[in-house]
Amino acid sequence: MDPDLTDKINALRQAIQQIEGLPGEQRLRLTQTLEELEQSAAAQDDSHLPPMQQLEDAMLELEAKHPDATQLLKSVADALGRIGL
């Protein structure tokens, strides 16, 4: 997997853990989605499609309250797009 993408996913994991007021269920969903994306990116197949939709949904949920985390989510999505996922 692209080292830049790995760094962005790790930064996003840290940011998710530091978001104050984020419900535990949403935090868990984001963490699981990142794990699925990481596995899909490593496999480089079509298995990334459902996690990408989940990531996009999570971005919409976070956008208003947590702009920093949203920016990290967008950078992960952009990095995935650059490697063709």
Side-chain angles (χ1 to χ4, degrees):
M1 182 165 50
D2 184 303
D4 184 48
L5 179 57
T6 301
D7 291 344
K8 288 179 184 205
I9 289 174
N10 289 332
L12 184 53
R13 274 195 185 102
Q14 290 176 349
I16 289 168
Q17 295 308 316
Q18 295 174 359
I19 296 173
E20 293 182 24
L22 185 65
E25 182 179 305
Q26 190 174 13
R27 189 182 314 271
L28 179 61
R29 189 169 5 118
L30 284 167
T31 301
Q32 290 172 338
T33 299
L34 282 177
E35 289 173 10
E36 291 173 20
L37 279 171
E38 198 168 29
Q39 292 170 1
S40 298
Q44 295 187 350
D45 59 18
D46 287 344
S47 64
H48 68 283
L49 296 176
M52 281 299 293
Q53 183 60 51
Q54 292 172 3
L55 181 62
E56 290 174 15
D57 293 346
M59 286 169 42
L60 291 174
E61 288 180 37
L62 282 175
E63 200 159 17
K65 293 183 179 180
H66 307 286
D68 292 340
T70 303
Q71 188 57 39
L72 282 169
L73 283 166
K74 287 179 182 177
S75 71
V76 168
D78 290 344
L80 287 167
R82 283 194 301 274
I83 64 169
L85 295 180

